[in-house]
Amino acid sequence: MTSPASHLLVIGECVADIVRTDGAPDRVHPGGSPANVAYGLARLGHPAVLLTELGPDADGRLIRRHLESAGVVVRAAEVARTPSAVVRLDGQGRAEYTFDIGWTLPPTELPAAPAAIHLGSIGAVTEPGAAAVLALVERWRDRVPVSYDPNVRPALMGERAAAVRRVERCVALSELVKASDEDLGWLYPGEPVEAVAERWLALGPAVVAVTLGAEGALALTAAGRRERVAAVPVAVADTVGAGDSFMAALLHARAAGEELADCLAEAVTAAALTVSRPGANPPSAAELAAVLERRRAAGAR
């Protein structure tokens, strides 16, 4: 399958999320942070290509159908089995993950220039595949903008100091970086999120955005701007995929040339819609536009 013109290339893992709650049967959802970002972009009408790995199994077929149903072009190296994660939800819908995953992406060349590249999570820091990801990004970073979301998974990150070095290498390759306050809390225990964002800006990005859960989100820029937006209040079904929906909407709004504060507002709204329903189920362009219009009419950013 050929890639669409002006597509955003997302690189990283697909994961079958096995959602487990007490007293209920397991539910399997297509997941994986980069896969969710690609899906969220396509739901917003943004051409997206996902460079990933999939097994020739039922989970792999489920994930491929899911992605392609939204219009994502899937370029997948075949592996023996599709990665999976058991997702346990607490009483507030917060997710904890237990992974069965590897990442072995081979060296890859692109058949066409993307409009931008997004990398993140396990695929950006887990060897041996991370070497292929970073080599590809290094070849293209002077020609197209790069974005990064560490989406930290402590169980897979190994020793903290080494993990920080790997994450900071990805930060230094990127023009836009997004992380959660929980990510930063694990990487840099006890340090204020704004101090970490400033440190990351010094490595080279133009923008660092941080999600703050119920407190909304903030962004700092290399030019000295600071923007902060409040969260959109919703009843939480679960938090699966919320950060990925935020990332997809942020990338989509940035590509459209919107002001930073408006980009953040769209991103927190997309995340709110996602947490209001089970699984990594990001909004369509029409859903997001309708909620944004209602909020603007009510005087909210």
Side-chain angles (χ1 to χ4, degrees):
M1 184 177 293
T2 58
S3 300
S6 302
H7 64 280
L8 195 153
L9 175 67
V10 181
I11 311 172
E13 71 276 1
C14 293
V15 180
D17 286 338
I18 305 165
V19 180
R20 186 164 293 167
T21 52
D22 292 339
D26 289 351
R27 294 175 286 125
V28 180
H29 294 288
S33 176
N36 291 340
V37 171
Y39 184 78
L41 284 163
R43 290 272 290 165
L44 294 173
H46 199 111
V49 174
L50 178 65
L51 178 60
T52 190
E53 296 180 330
L54 285 171
D57 46 28
D59 287 342
R61 293 191 293 273
L62 171 69
I63 291 171
R64 184 183 287 274
R65 286 196 303 270
H66 168 74
L67 292 164
E68 292 180 344
S69 73
V72 178
V73 175
V74 180
R75 292 184 58 202
E78 185 169 304
V79 291
R81 62 179 181 180
T82 301
S84 62
V86 174
V87 185
R88 296 185 181 276
L89 302 176
D90 66 15
Q92 287 73 49
R94 293 187 296 257
E96 293 185 357
Y97 295 81
T98 303
F99 292 95
D100 179 7
I101 187 169
W103 179 247
T104 58
L105 189 76
T108 303
E109 295 295 338
L110 303 182
I117 296 174
H118 175 72
L119 68 155
S121 198
I122 297 162
V125 296
T126 301
E127 299 297 355
V133 174
L134 297 183
L136 189 154
V137 170
E138 286 172 342
R139 289 196 298 273
W140 284 90
R141 64 183 295 259
D142 292 332
R143 289 174 278 178
V144 301
V146 175
S147 57
Y148 173 57
D149 176 4
N151 191 45
V152 169
R153 300 303 187 201
L156 299 175
M157 298 295 283
E159 190 266 331
R160 181 180 281 109
V164 169
R165 288 193 295 272
R166 294 194 297 270
V167 166
E168 289 184 350
R169 181 182 178 190
C170 295
V171 170
L173 290 170
S174 304
E175 183 266 344
L176 167 66
V177 178
K178 169 259 172 187
S180 72
D181 53 355
E182 292 180 347
D183 292 337
L184 301 187
W186 187 84
L187 290 166
Y188 307 98
E191 294 192 34
V193 296
E194 289 203 24
V196 177
E198 292 279 11
R199 176 188 302 183
W200 281 6
L201 286 171
L203 296 176
V207 179
V208 173
V210 183
T211 59
L212 305 169
E215 301 302 314
L218 62 86
L220 282 68
T221 76
R225 290 182 59 193
R226 284 169 168 73
E227 297 286 354
R228 184 159 184 162
V229 298
V232 178
V234 292
V236 175
D238 66 51
T239 63
V240 177
D244 304 324
S245 291
F246 180 101
M247 187 82 244
L250 181 63
L251 290 171
H252 180 65
R254 287 264 294 170
E258 298 188 26
E259 292 292 328
L260 181 58
D262 293 327
C263 292
L264 288 177
E266 292 193 25
V268 297
T269 303
L273 285 166
T274 302
V275 302
S276 72
R277 49 206 190 191
N281 185 5
S284 67
E287 287 176 318
L288 181 58
V291 174
L292 288 168
E293 182 58 34
R294 289 198 297 270
R295 286 179 55 76
R296 290 184 185 115
R301 178 176 277 280

